[in-house]
């Protein structure tokens, strides 16, 4: 997990108090019925409590003290299970309370006309509707989610992200979305509100962390079915046991039939209460771990899908390489001197605010002494880069047109103008591409002046992460606008499995669709509006919080840190969630073996003394044997709460070795542990002379 | 364990394993419609059958249509067997003039043979005409086995197909199973059995003068013995091959006219497991990954072999009660030693225990010795093998598709444990498959436990047991285990031909057959519609020793946890008491 986040302690006193109270409130049958396993325990507890009352007012089937002890521990079993759920919810609730503070009612300045400087009226933020236009300035709190339509401002989003560094929000482009509850630090914005009250990002986030919107995920439902069928089988095995016991007593001519109290005790011990009780907590805790990683998942389904991802689509820039490619050399075409190439390159980059553009200006100045000029002095018109033209440049007042861009885009451009693309330059371009750098061709009208070499720098440590992913069976695909040669070189340097070069929104969408048609689950990150279609198509789509509203709406997770490598962490959290469920299921069922050896001889020894041979734990008395099994069954829930909340240990490895390890720990461990535990409890009960 | 035991078991298992691959490939090619010899030769016959029945063999069925076809065909089978029994007196081939069969017994027998259970509340030679045996029972022996294989093939198609709504054509699968697999194998086996002395005749029972007259229970003098005959060999071949198990005679394969020699015994034993074992390979062949077929077969053997050894050991060790009486129970040149009560001298301990284990692991249920007379542990093994759900070989077809339900559960839990939603052979296992598998696991357990629990409190049902003590519980439990898992094996010691048992066991057989077939077909339909996910490092391989062991654990734990309490009150306590604990 990322080091930047503070790990919350598992048990906080402020959470435990309310959680205990809540776990008693949750004994309400209406709540318990949602969980088959625990509902059966509830019915059992009620039944034995009734039998205890009968035992004190008249003759009971067992000594009243024994029935009371069993009943109490059955109630504890329920309370312990509820406690795990309350504790998991409590952690979310604490976070939600913090978020709510950000949602205090603010006065919004509602503009009467959608432009800066228009008159405004003050209205309560709760009265705002979708489509309203508001004005915010230094010190104001942004009243609702919206899109900037005018202005630039620095915004403190720490209320949502926990990150104190301010972010820039401006109209147009990919940084136009603002979130209600965040604060303007400087300058002003005109915002169009994009959501109705109660539907804002903050509202959704609160609901999510509180678990109010929690629905069972498909996998959780499938597991619940499996647990229900185990419960049903054991219910059948114990209920019919009454009839077998009565028959055995009559045919053996000795002893008394098994009592209802013992049957209920046996039933509760056999049904998978450990996993049944902890199942809700595991789900909530999974979401909680996402939140702690500063990722908001729109649904639990998305978290679960994350564990299944086969393919990760990662943008090259900012994820695999450091964002800024640096211009390192100018290589002119034969017959063009290097200064004029540098000059043209610099002019075309003056208005280009991208890091690459700036690095060209810097290189031209440092190496060739070309001083900075102001674009307005030149009476020039800046032609911005678009995904379709894949070129940018300037049209100068004197009729000069300078373009720079990808080789094939420039080639097409000069050919349209009747020029030709020098063959020898193609060789240079190829060699630059092969080395993993990006060639940027500069042309003045139909004359190709030369190439700028932009060098990509692969992030440190990223290669090792991809090796881990490969070991987990996840394929990584690099998405880049670069040409195939450049892409191949960088993909190889970063150790990726595949790449999509010269990506456009259409090719990205097609790639995802093709992979899904082949049965793969695809995850990707995105921030721009042009990512939205691909995000909507991907199975796990992480939108950057700095991204546009469209991207956020298309994704099913939002990364508040806006860190594209977070995807790897998300996959791990998803896997951990499933692994915790699987391991505890195995543990729970493996536990049953020892419980049979505790309860069966105890229950039937009066009919068949020979069955005493099955009492391999040498438990003291039948009563202490049964009670010990029930106590162990309850206590193990409490003991496993930390594991349920934290998740089982995850390490990247192939499926077989993970399965082997977890089977050894939770399967074999699940068989042995209760033998020891029940024996210990029996020894304590005996020493205390309780039974 | 003596060398003799090891040699006999090794020979049996080696021959069985040698047949797996050739038979498996042959069957796979039959269902894939590829040339495999017989299906080229008999193709006109197959076409003629379709023309006559107006079946379009090219038309695929959705799982629902497939299930409707299975049910219609089987219900018609049940009705026809019932009617044949009720009217056999008026029908031909009744040289012994057998009267009509009582309604409850006829119901039980009809259910029993249509469901491939072959529980026999009747005594064949004293109840049924040759006509009923041949047209009713033998026909059902063929088609009930064919139904099981057809359903399995439909399920395998579910694994192979990508996003397809249909799972094959039931009529085609049925015809091919009978025409190319069951019939030819039966013809060969019956001819060999006839050569060993199994009878095949339409003449009425023979009579023989007793050398020494005896008195019967009523005190009357008896001077002659009736020797039952009939068209036996033809029914015995399919009885073993189709995991039916219903004998021509009441004492089943211990009768010298059903199973006369050690060679006939070996061949019949092989026939019991032959097709079920071969189908594992067929499965691997059809899914284009033979390791998957071997994996399941290995899992079956991992359970089968230890159970067999325990059973042999328990019988060979003999009865501790005899030790005090100074009775020699050791093996020697003159005696097989051990517990020979209820066993045939010509088979001895090993071949009796081997038969008991094989016929209960597979849902065959025929016997060549009386399980009721086994030692408590020796009798526990066959009973427990049945209770595991008839998935260790199991019935032809039904054993393997039953095993798939366990595979789905194993894949699901192991998938969770590695942090991935589960898949098997590239097919995602989701809520729907889980629900259906849950039904498949639950229904047989329900039939067995509820049936037994009701029987042990009903006076009428309790009166039918012939032994006191824990053994009587075993007798009732065995009967319901057998019916509730479509095995048909009888522990004996229970007079089950009465109204309660006939109806209760009949219902148990019905539910545990069709309430499993329908969800299984539903799984096939659902899987068939899914995409196939490519294998990656993150996929759990389902052919490795690790997975095989995990699958075995799931089968054993579900079976052990469900039945441990009741077994503790039956054979386990009987064993402990006998050992003087």
């Amino acid at each position: 997990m990322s080091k930047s986040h503070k790990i919350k302690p598992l048990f906080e006193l402020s959470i435990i108090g309310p959680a205990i109270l809540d776990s008693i409130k949750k004994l309400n049958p209406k709540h318990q019925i949602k969980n088959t396993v625990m509902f059966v325990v509830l019915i059992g507890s009620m039944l034995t409590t009734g039998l205890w009352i009968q035992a004190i007012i008249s003759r009971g089937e067992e000594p009243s003290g024994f029935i009371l002890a069993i009943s109490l521990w059955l109630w504890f079993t329920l309370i312990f299970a509820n406690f795990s759920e309350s504790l998991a919810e409590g952690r979310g609730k604490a976070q939600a309370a913090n978020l709510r503070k950000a949602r205090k009612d603010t006065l919004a300045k509602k503009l009467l006309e959608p432009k800066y400087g228009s008159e405004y009226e003050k209205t309560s933020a709760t009265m705002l509707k979708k489509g309203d236009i508001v004005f915010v300035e230094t010190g104001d709190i942004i009243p609702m989610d919206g899109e900037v339509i005018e202005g630039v401002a620095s915004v403190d989003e720490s209320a949502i992200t926990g990150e104190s560094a301010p972010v820039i929000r401006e109209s147009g482009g990919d940084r136009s979305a603002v979130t209600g509850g965040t604060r303007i630090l400087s300058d002003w914005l005109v915002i169009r509100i994009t959501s109705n009250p109660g539907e804002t990002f903050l509202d959704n986030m609160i609901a999510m962390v509180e678990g109010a919107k929690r629905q069972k995920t498909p996998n959780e439902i499938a597991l619940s079915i499996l647990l229900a069928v185990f419960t049903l089988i054991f219910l059948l095995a114990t209920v019919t046991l009454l009839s077998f016991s009565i028959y055995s007593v009559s045919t053996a001519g000795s002893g008394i039939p098994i009592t209802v109290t013992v049957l209920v005790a046996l039933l509760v011990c056999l049904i998978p209460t450990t996993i049944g009780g902890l199942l809700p907590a595991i789900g909530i805790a999974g979401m909680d771990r996402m939140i702690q990683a500063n990722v908001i998942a729109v649904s639990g389904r998305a978290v679960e899908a994350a564990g299944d991802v086969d393919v990760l689509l990662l943008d090259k820039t900012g994820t695999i390489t450091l964002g800024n490619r640096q211009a390192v050399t100018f290589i002119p075409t034969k017959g063009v001197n290097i200064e004029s190439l540098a000059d043209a390159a610099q002019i075309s980059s003056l208005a280009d605010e991208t890091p690459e553009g700036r690095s060209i200006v810097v290189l031209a100045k440092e190496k060739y002494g070309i001083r900075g000029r102001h674009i307005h002095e030149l009476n020039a018109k800046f032609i911005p880069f678009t995904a379709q033209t894949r070129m940018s440049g300037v049209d100068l007042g004197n009729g000069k047109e300078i373009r720079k861009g990808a080789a094939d885009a420039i080639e097409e451009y000069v050919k349209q103008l009747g020029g030709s693309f020098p063959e020898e330059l193609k060789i240079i371009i190829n060699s630059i591409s092969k080395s993993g750098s990006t060639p940027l061709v500069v042309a003045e009208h139909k004359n190709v002046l030369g190439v700028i070499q932009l060098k990509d720098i692969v992030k440190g440590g990223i290669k090792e992460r991809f090796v881990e992913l490969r070991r987990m069976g996840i394929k990584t695909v690099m998405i880049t606008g670069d040409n195939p040669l450049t892409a191949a070189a960088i993909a190889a340097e970063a150790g990726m499995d595949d790449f999509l070069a010269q990506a456009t929104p259409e090719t990205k969408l097609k790639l995802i669709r093709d992979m899904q048609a082949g049965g793969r689950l695809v995850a990707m990150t995105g921030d721009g509006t042009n990512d939205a279609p691909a995000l909507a198509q991907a199975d796990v789509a992480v939108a950057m919080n700095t991204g546009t509203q469209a991207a956020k709406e298309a994704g099913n997770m939002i990364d508040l840190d806006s860190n594209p490598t977070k995807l790897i962490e998300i996959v791990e959290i998803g896997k951990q969630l499933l692994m915790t469920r699987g391991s505890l299921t195995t543990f729970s069922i493996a536990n049953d073996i020892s419980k049979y050896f505790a309860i069966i001889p105890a229950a039937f020894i009066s009919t068949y003394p020979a069955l005493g041979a099955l009492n391999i734990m040498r438990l003291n008395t039948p009563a202490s044997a049964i009670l010990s099994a029930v106590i162990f069954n309850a206590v193990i829930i409490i003991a496993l709460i930390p594991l349920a909340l934290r998740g089982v240990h995850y390490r990247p490895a192939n499926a077989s070795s993970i399965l082997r390890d977890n089977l050894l720990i939770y399967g074999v461990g699940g068989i042995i542990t209760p033998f020891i535990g029940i024996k210990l409890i029996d020894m304590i009960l005996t020493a205390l002379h309780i039974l | 364990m003596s060398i003799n035991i090891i040699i006999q078991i090794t020979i049996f298992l080696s021959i069985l394993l040698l047949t797996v691959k050739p038979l498996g490939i042959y069957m796979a090619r039959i269902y894939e419609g590829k040339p495999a010899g017989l299906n080229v030769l008999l193709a006109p016959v197959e076409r003629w059958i379709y023309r006559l029945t107006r079946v379009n063999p090219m038309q695929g069925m959705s799982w629902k249509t497939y299930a409707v076809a299975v049910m219609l065909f089987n219900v018609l089978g049940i009705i026809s067997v019932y009617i044949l029994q009720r009217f056999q007196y008026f029908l031909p081939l009744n040289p012994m003039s057998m009267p009509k069969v009582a309604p409850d017994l006829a119901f039980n027998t009809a259910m029993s043979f249509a469901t491939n259970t072959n529980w026999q509340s009747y005594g064949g030679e004293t109840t049924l005409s040759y006509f009923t045996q041949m047209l009713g029972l033998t026909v059902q022996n063929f088609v009930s086995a064919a139904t099981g294989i057809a359903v399995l093939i439909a399920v395998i198609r579910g694994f192979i197909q990508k996003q397809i709504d249909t799972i094959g054509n039931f009529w085609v699968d049925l015809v091919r199973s009978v025409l190319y697999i069951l019939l030819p194998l039966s013809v060969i086996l019956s001819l060999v059995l006839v050569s060993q002395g199994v009878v095949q005749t339409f003449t009425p029972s023979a009579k023989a003068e007793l050398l020494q007259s005896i008195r019967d229970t009523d005190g009357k003098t008896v001077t002659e013995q009736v020797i039952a005959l009939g068209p036996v060999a033809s029914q015995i071949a399919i009885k073993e091959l189709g995991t039916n198990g219903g004998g021509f005679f009441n004492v089943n394969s211990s009768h010298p006219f059903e199973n006369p020699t050690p060679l006939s015994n070996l061949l019949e034993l092989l026939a019991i497991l032959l097709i079920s074992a071969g189908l594992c390979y067929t499965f691997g062949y059809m899914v284009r990954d033979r390791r998957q077929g071997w994996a399941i077969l290995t899992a079956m053997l991992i359970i089968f072999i230890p159970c067999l050894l325990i059973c042999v050991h328990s019988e060979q060790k003999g009865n501790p009660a005899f030790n005090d009486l100074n009775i020699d129970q050791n093996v020697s040149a003159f005696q097989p030693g051990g517990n020979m009560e209820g066993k045939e001298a010509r088979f001895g301990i090993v071949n009796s225990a081997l038969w008991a284990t094989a016929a209960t692991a597979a849902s065959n249920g025929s016997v060549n010795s009386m399980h009721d007379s086994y030692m408590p542990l020796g009798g526990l093994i066959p009973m427990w093998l049945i209770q595991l759900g008839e998935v260790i070989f199991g019935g032809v077809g039904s054993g393997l598709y039953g095993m798939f339900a366990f595979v789905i559960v194993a894949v699901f839990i192991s998938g969770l444990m590695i942090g991935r939603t589960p898949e098997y052979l590239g097919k995602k296992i989701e809520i729907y498959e889980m629900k259906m598998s849950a039904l498949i696991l639950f229904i047989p357990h329900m039939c067995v436990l509820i049936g037994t629990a009701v029987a042990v409190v009903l006076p009428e049902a309790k009166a039918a047991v012939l032994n006191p003590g824990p053994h009587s519980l075993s007798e009732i439990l065995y009967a319901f285990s057998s019916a509730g898992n479509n095995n048909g094996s009888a522990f004996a010691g229970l007079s089950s031909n009465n109204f309660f048992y006939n109806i209760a066991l009949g219902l148990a057989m019905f539910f545990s057959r069709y309430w499993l077939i329908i969800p299984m077909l539903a799984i096939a339909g659902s899987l068939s519609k899914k995409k196939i996910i490519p294998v990656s490092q993150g996929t759990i391989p389902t052919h490795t020793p690790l997975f095989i062991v995990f699958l075995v654990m799931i089968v054993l734990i579900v079976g052990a946890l469900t039945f441990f309490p009741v077994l503790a009150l039956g054979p386990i306590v009987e064993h402990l008491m006998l050992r003087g604990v």
Side-chain angles (χ1 to χ4, degrees), chain A residues 78-96:
Chain A
L78 280 171
I79 292 171
F80 291 167
N82 289 343
F83 177 69
S84 72
E85 189 180 347
S86 303
L87 198 62
E89 284 172 349
R91 283 152 65 84
K93 275 184 187 150
Q95 194 140 359

Side-chain angles (χ1 to χ4, degrees), chain B residues 455-470:
Chain B
V456 297
V457 292
L458 276 187
E460 184 202 359
K462 274 200 287 187
V465 293
L466 305 178
N467 297 78

Side-chain angles (χ1 to χ4, degrees), chain A residues 217-219 221-223 225-226 229-230 232-234 236-237 239-241 243-248 250-252 266 270 304 307-310 470-474 516-521 574-576 578-583 585-586 589-590 592-593 596-597 600-601 604 607-614 650 653-660 662-663 666-667 671, chain B residues 163 409 412-423 428-432 434-439 441-442 445-457 462 465 467-474 476-477 531-541 544 546-547 549-550 553-554 557-558 560-566 568-570 572-573 576-577 581:
Chain A
T217 57
N219 205 272
I221 295 172
L223 180 58
I225 292 168
L226 183 69
V229 80
F230 273 116
L232 218 54
I233 287 177
F234 290 130
L236 211 60
V239 169
T240 54
L241 198 54
S243 150
F244 302 143
S245 172
I246 292 170
Y247 178 79
S248 297
S250 77
T251 184
L266 177 63
L270 293 180
E304 209 167 72
D308 274 351
V309 162
D310 297 299
R470 195 165 307 114
R471 223 180 289 143
M472 286 153 63
I474 297 172
Q516 286 172 334
R520 296 183 187 277
L521 241 75
K575 283 198 179 290
Q576 218 185 9
L578 295 184
M579 281 166 65
T580 310
R581 282 190 198 139
S583 302
T585 304
T586 308
I589 293 168
D592 283 357
I593 295 169
Y596 269 134
F597 284 99
I600 295 292
F604 298 111
T607 314
Y608 294 124
L611 281 175
L614 296 181
Y650 176 77
N654 68 36
S656 292
S657 56
I658 297 180
L659 180 61
R660 187 194 55 227
N662 283 343
L663 269 181
Y666 299 99
I671 293 174
Chain B
Q163 294 170 297
V409 171
F412 183 78
I413 298 178
S414 58
L416 286 185
M417 272 201 286
I418 62 153
R420 203 179 153 93
T421 58
E423 63 202 50
K428 276 234 180 293
I429 304 300
E430 289 165 299
I431 298 172
Y432 190 73
M434 212 56 222
K435 272 188 194 158
M436 295 301 137
S437 302
L439 268 181
L441 256 56
F442 179 68
H445 290 345
M446 181 187 76
C447 292
V448 175
L449 285 173
I450 292 186
T452 316
V454 171
V456 297
V457 292
K462 274 200 287 187
V465 293
N467 297 78
H471 199 73
S472 59
L473 182 61
S474 302
I476 299 173
L477 178 64
K531 298 180 220 171
I532 293 185
I533 302 159
V535 174
S536 76
Q537 279 283 306
T539 318
I540 322 171
T544 55
L546 183 69
F547 186 80
V549 169
F550 188 61
M553 289 309 289
I554 295 281
I557 283 189
V558 170
L561 292 182
T562 312
F563 292 104
F564 184 79
V566 61
L569 293 175
I572 293 177
V573 74
L576 293 172
M577 286 159 81
V581 179

Side-chain angles (χ1 to χ4, degrees), chain A residues 419-432:
Chain A
S420 67
F421 200 83
E423 283 304 317
E424 84 276 1
L425 204 59
K426 282 189 178 166
I427 301 163
I428 298 169
I429 289 168
N430 260 338
S431 71
I432 292 174

Side-chain angles (χ1 to χ4, degrees), chain A residues 16 26 69 126 181 187 199 244 251 258 281 293 344 363 379-380 385 407 420 440 510 555 642 666:
Chain A
I16 289 182
K26 280 194 171 137
T126 51
D187 303 293
E199 298 166 9
F244 302 143
T251 184
I258 190 168
L363 182 71
N379 193 17
F385 176 88
S420 67
L440 208 55
K510 185 174 177 301
Y666 299 99

